[in-house]
Amino acid sequence: MSTAPASRSARPSVRIALVTTTAALTAVAASACSTSSSHTSDTAATGSSSDKTIQVVAAENFWGSIASQLGGSHVKVTSIINNPNTDPHDYEPTAADARTVAGAQYTIVNGIGYDAWADKLLAANPGSGRTQLKIGDLVGIKPGGNPHRWYSPDNVHQAIEKITADYKKTDPADAAYFDQQKTAFETKTLAGYNKLIADIKAKYAGTPIGASESIVTPLAEGLGLKMLTPETFLDAMSEGSDPTAKDKTTIDQQIKNKKIKIYVYNSQNSTPDVQAQVKEAKAQGIPVATVTETLTPAGATFQQWQTSQLQGIEQALAKATGK
């Protein structure tokens, strides 16, 4: 299994290799049926009105966690990416992944170029009557746009609505059950997540921040914070390419002159440039908050993971502004 490197400069060659890898998996999956997987499945045990179970495969566990909680006892969700040390950009599918996908009735892929390996895996392993959800298409973000839609509160709620609707179409007999699951998830399970977002936006809207990569941008937008870090730098770090000297100088000046109130960085992609910025921010007394690309720790739910990160950002903002 591929692990997250300090830098993502190897990404292009890996993606080329995936074409060959996925093609090889086609033969494996040709005779495959629905099978269990070594990947973690997070299925809630709740009451039901029928015994149907939808086989769901999510490319990444942040979407898988949501899908599992929305489906409760009527779904079995397998997330292909479920290890905090795995870089979803560079993942290489296995034969077991091919068998799992071949048996899926419903699949969730992020899209927007984030998990191209998943698109190839699905194409190589077509399933009869399988329903496919691509988050990028759902929220209207085209390839080349920011792919980190699970960090957009609005997009998360769009995904919740769509997943529930797809479950109801796949299993109409349990439509009322899925509606109940969705209502409970949005009003109770995500209550802390929703409240933190609303509180931060109400209290700190317009506060200038800096960040290590574009994963933070959708969240900053959802929180009403003002991103000062050049978008070209954020994109370069997310894509594993080298940032320009001009961008690095701009960020150094923003930190030195305290133009940003807090600095948020992805601890799963901490390059030497990012490490230097974190060190300088701390030296200047600028609070630093961290986020990760996938569920951390392993086994955490979407809401546990996001709430913990939001609390860290809220604490950093409070320290920086005195509010």
Side-chain angles (χ1 to χ4, degrees), residues 224-292:
L225 304 176
K226 185 179 180 181
M227 179 68 73
L228 290 193
T229 306
E231 185 177 350
T232 46
F233 177 88
L234 298 173
D235 290 342
M237 299 309 295
S238 293
E239 295 165 5
S241 56
D242 293 328
T244 66
K246 179 181 178 181
D247 282 347
K248 289 193 286 186
T249 298
T250 296
I251 295 167
D252 289 342
Q253 290 299 314
Q254 289 175 349
I255 294 174
K256 181 179 179 180
N257 297 324
K258 296 187 177 181
K259 291 184 177 180
I260 60 172
K261 293 296 184 181
I262 69 170
Y263 183 92
V264 184
Y265 83 107
N266 176 5
S267 60
Q268 290 177 327
N269 187 29
S270 186
T271 67
D273 286 324
V274 170
Q275 291 170 8
Q277 290 170 13
V278 169
K279 182 178 180 180
E280 184 58 24
K282 290 179 177 179
Q284 294 294 334
I286 297 172
V288 174
T290 63
V291 295
T292 58

Side-chain angles (χ1 to χ4, degrees), residues 9 15 42 75 77 91 114 145 203 217:
S9 58
R15 286 181 173 172
D42 177 20
V75 302
V77 179
Y91 184 69
Y114 183 76
K203 201 168 187 178
T217 304

